[in-house]
């Protein structure tokens, strides 16, 4: 009887930015069972989003993983995360996810070191080389965080599904 069914499975292989075959299998099963939106957790890194088509005709939007949001982990890829952006149009006939107005907003988790302390979450589009160079992951984990890596991973994982803050504000 729900207008939109959201399912949040805890799944996937940690630190892997591609969904596993079992995630894909379960996503299809959840879609067949009536899920409209699937937002996965657990891998600590971003994974793609895709539309799942079940054999019974049901269709769902699946975000395999949006990353951590807040973390002080020591892997650079763990500092990249995403916010799901979903537009749902409600009419007398029911609720429909508007595919053209749906995607992800890439974010960066930034923390300081000595002591390790969370600072803020930034829009990737506003994050600078200077901020990346000052990230606590360098002192805490011995890892260089590069803006070009964050941008490259975003493109590789999300491609054309990236939405900018400007696009959202225009609506």
């Amino acid at each position: 009887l729900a207008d939109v069914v959201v399912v949040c499975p805890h799944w996937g292989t940690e630190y892997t930015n591609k969904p596993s075959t079992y995630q894909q299998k379960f996503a299809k099963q959840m879609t067949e069972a009536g899920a409209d939106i699937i937002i996965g957790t657990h891998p600590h890194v971003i994974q793609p989003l895709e539309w799942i088509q079940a054999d019974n005709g049901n269709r769902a939007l699946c975000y395999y993983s949006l990353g951590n949001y807040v973390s002080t982990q020591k892997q650079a890829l763990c500092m990249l995360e995403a916010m799901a952006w979903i537009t749902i149009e409600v009419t007398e006939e029911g609720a429909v996810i508007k595919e053209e107005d749906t995607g992800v907003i890439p974010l960066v988790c930034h923390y300081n070191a000595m002591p390790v302390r969370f600072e803020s979450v930034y829009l990737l589009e506003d994050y600078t080389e200077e901020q990346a160079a000052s990230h606590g992951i360098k002192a805490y984990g011995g890892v260089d965080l590069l803006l070009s890596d964050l941008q490259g991973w975003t493109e590789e994982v999300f491609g054309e599904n990236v939405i900018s803050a400007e696009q959202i504000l225009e609506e």
Side-chain angles (χ1 to χ4, degrees):
L1 298 175
D3 292 324
V4 177
V5 176
V6 180
V7 179
C8 299
H10 185 259
W11 63 2
T13 305
E14 288 184 343
Y15 314 113
T16 303
N17 65 356
K18 291 182 175 40
S20 66
T21 54
Y22 88 83
Q23 284 173 277
Q24 294 169 327
K25 176 184 169 190
F26 287 150
K28 191 168 184 180
Q29 289 174 344
M30 287 181 244
T31 302
E32 196 154 299
D36 297 299
I37 300 168
I38 302 166
I39 301 176
T41 65
H42 179 70
H44 301 291
V45 295
I46 59 170
Q47 292 183 340
L49 69 110
E50 70 175 340
W51 287 91
I52 308 291
Q53 184 69 48
D55 296 336
N56 66 357
N58 290 352
R59 192 164 186 252
L61 175 61
C62 180
Y63 293 86
Y64 285 103
S65 177
L66 296 173
N68 282 324
Y69 192 66
V70 173
S71 154
T72 55
Q73 290 184 297
K74 298 177 182 179
Q75 298 88 346
L77 186 55
C78 293
M79 297 305 103
L80 181 61
E81 55 226 8
M83 181 186 333
W85 187 265
I86 304 166
T87 302
I88 300 171
E89 183 175 45
V90 180
T91 65
E92 289 182 19
E93 289 79 41
V96 176
I97 299 169
K98 293 181 68 179
E99 191 168 341
E100 65 277 6
D101 295 328
T102 295
V104 296
I105 302 166
L107 306 169
V108 180
C109 175
H110 189 93
Y111 66 82
N112 299 314
M114 310 314 200
V116 173
R117 197 164 303 224
F118 169 72
E119 180 184 303
S120 188
V121 173
Y122 294 96
L123 293 169
L124 175 60
E125 65 190 80
D126 295 337
Y127 202 65
T128 66
E129 286 286 358
E130 293 77 23
Q131 287 173 305
S134 72
H135 196 288
I137 199 168
K138 174 75 171 177
Y140 181 54
V143 174
D144 288 320
L145 187 66
L146 302 174
L147 181 58
S148 59
D149 287 344
L150 296 169
Q151 293 165 333
W153 294 326
T154 299
E155 176 61 31
E156 177 186 326
V157 174
F158 294 128
E160 62 187 36
N161 294 305
V162 172
I163 298 175
S164 70
E166 185 177 321
Q167 286 172 285
I168 292 166
L169 295 174
E170 288 175 356
E171 297 174 10

